[in-house]
């Protein structure tokens, strides 16, 4: 079980950081993380395996996952969506152990919910089938904006029933909480499908908070996963106001949180194991 950092903290200020994977990698590596997860939208000129590896390796980072975000509103992928997915599969294939994470771009509402869920799942099955043929492991990451197609406990049942067994599940602890679910109970319920985890925090009023300062049981989930022998990534994805204002500083603070709170949990679990 290793801790990574997601690029979304920088993506909230995209004009300033898009395409600066070298800078982000330097910050994340200096903070002590083992891996980086980046969204396709943040890559800029780092779209080849050689260039991306050149940003990661000097900072002693692995590629934890590559995240592809699409609308997937049709019964099949559009030509541009298929091309983007195939490029993402090929890039992920170049990094041993990296996951291809799929995420739906939230819409404006949840009208015709079951039909839209059905269409999205059809597209995701096509993408993950091609990824499996290429030897790339996949996972799906639901979210919680009002227009998300998978944001409640019932939606998660539809999602996990509709995904092929070979496709993993990435619970985002903050999105789970914002969707009105018990975070630790949800992770326990779907533990067998969990192959990747995102952690963000939320204040009692529902606003994103700096990880470790809100009501989401981040450390408790990490301890549970460690106790079950989980060997995937535990990726910190801070979306607080502080992260938007200064993502570099927040990454450094999250590195300290990882070292002081999470790593002792990992070490304790390894000792007891």
């Amino acid at each position: 079980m290793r801790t990574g950092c997601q690029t979304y903290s920088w993506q909230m200020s995209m004009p300033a950081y898009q395409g600066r994977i070298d800078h982000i990698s330097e910050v994340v590596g200096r903070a002590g993380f083992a891996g980086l997860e980046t969204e396709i939208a943040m890559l800029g000129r780092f779209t080849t395996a050689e260039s991306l590896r050149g940003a990661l390796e000097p900072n002693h980072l692995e590629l934890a996952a590559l995240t592809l975000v699409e609308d997937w509103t049709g019964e099949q992928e559009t030509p541009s969506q298929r091309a983007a997915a195939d490029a993402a599969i090929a890039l992920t294939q170049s990094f041993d152990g990296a996951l291809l994470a799929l995420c739906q771009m939230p819409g404006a509402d949840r009208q015709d919910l079951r039909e839209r869920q059905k269409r999205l799942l059809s597209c995701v099955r096509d993408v993950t089938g091609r990824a499996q043929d290429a030897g790339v492991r996949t996972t799906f990451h639901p979210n919680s904006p009002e227009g998300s197609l998978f944001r409640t406990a019932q939606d998660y049942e539809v999602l996990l029933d509709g995904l092929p067994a070979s496709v993993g599940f990435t619970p985002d602890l903050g999105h789970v909480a914002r969707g009105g679910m018990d975070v630790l109970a949800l992770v326990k319920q779907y533990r067998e499908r969990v192959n990747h985890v995102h952690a963000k925090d939320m204040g009692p009023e529902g606003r994103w908070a700096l990880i470790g300062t809100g009501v989401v049981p981040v450390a408790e989930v990490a301890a549970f996963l460690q106790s079950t022998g989980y060997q995937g990534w535990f990726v910190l994805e801070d979306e607080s106001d502080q992260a938007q204002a200064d993502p570099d500083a927040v990454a450094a603070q999250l590195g300290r949180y990882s070292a002081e709170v999470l790593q002792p949990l990992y070490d304790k679990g390894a000792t007891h194991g």
Side-chain angles (χ1 to χ4, degrees):
M1 183 167 171
R2 293 167 293 172
T3 306
C5 188
Q6 225 272 357
T7 58
Y8 199 83
S9 295
W10 292 269
Q11 190 170 330
M12 291 190 291
S13 303
M14 183 176 279
Y17 293 103
Q18 187 177 33
R20 298 184 62 192
I21 296 297
D22 48 352
H23 167 80
I24 294 171
S25 295
E26 182 179 354
V27 172
V28 170
R30 191 165 58 241
F33 288 98
L36 180 72
E37 175 180 339
T38 179
E39 295 200 21
I40 298 290
M42 290 295 289
L43 287 176
R45 63 186 175 89
F46 293 93
T47 56
T48 66
E50 181 181 8
S51 60
L52 184 53
R53 189 172 286 111
L56 296 172
E57 289 186 348
N59 298 294
H60 309 289
L61 293 173
E62 295 182 41
L63 181 65
L66 194 64
T67 300
L68 176 66
V69 182
E70 291 283 2
D71 296 321
W72 290 310
T73 57
E75 294 181 359
Q76 295 180 325
E77 299 164 88
T78 66
S80 63
Q81 288 173 349
R82 185 180 179 98
D86 287 347
I89 291 168
L91 183 55
T92 308
Q93 188 181 34
S94 300
F95 293 86
D96 290 341
L99 281 169
L100 176 61
L102 305 180
C103 182
Q104 175 243 346
M105 179 68 75
D109 55 49
R110 282 163 57 87
Q111 294 182 10
D112 303 318
L113 179 62
R114 294 298 177 239
E115 176 60 27
R116 290 165 64 189
Q117 289 176 335
K118 179 182 177 181
R119 291 180 180 182
L120 184 142
L121 285 167
S122 176
C123 292
V124 168
R125 284 193 290 268
D126 287 345
V127 174
T128 56
R130 298 197 306 276
Q132 185 174 20
D133 290 343
V136 172
R137 295 184 303 129
T138 56
T139 190
F140 191 89
H141 172 296
N143 46 37
S144 64
E146 290 297 325
S148 173
L149 298 186
F150 298 102
R151 70 183 306 269
T152 70
Q154 187 176 10
D155 296 334
Y156 279 33
E157 291 179 9
V158 172
L159 173 67
L160 273 298
D161 286 344
L163 288 175
S166 60
V167 181
F169 169 48
T170 296
D172 182 301
L173 309 186
H175 287 307
V176 171
R178 188 172 271 186
M181 292 165 275
D182 181 303
V183 175
L184 184 56
L186 185 283
V187 174
K188 288 181 177 180
Q189 179 182 355
Y190 294 112
R191 171 63 187 89
E192 291 185 2
R193 294 293 296 271
V194 173
N195 65 344
H196 198 62
V197 177
H198 277 196
K200 63 171 63 69
D201 213 338
M202 183 180 74
E205 78 294 342
R207 289 179 60 84
W208 297 132
L210 188 67
I211 292 174
T213 69
V215 299
V216 178
V218 175
E220 289 87 341
V221 172
F224 164 72
L225 290 169
Q226 177 68 16
S227 74
T228 67
Y230 175 72
Q231 296 183 1
W233 287 94
F234 195 81
V235 177
L236 304 188
E237 182 186 31
D238 202 284
E239 296 186 30
S240 64
D241 292 342
Q242 298 98 310
Q244 184 167 11
D246 192 345
D248 290 0
V250 165
Q253 187 164 346
L254 294 182
R256 292 189 291 273
Y257 174 83
S258 178
E260 295 169 6
V261 177
L262 299 180
Q263 192 59 50
L265 296 175
Y266 303 165
D267 295 342
K268 181 179 179 180
T271 300
H272 288 173

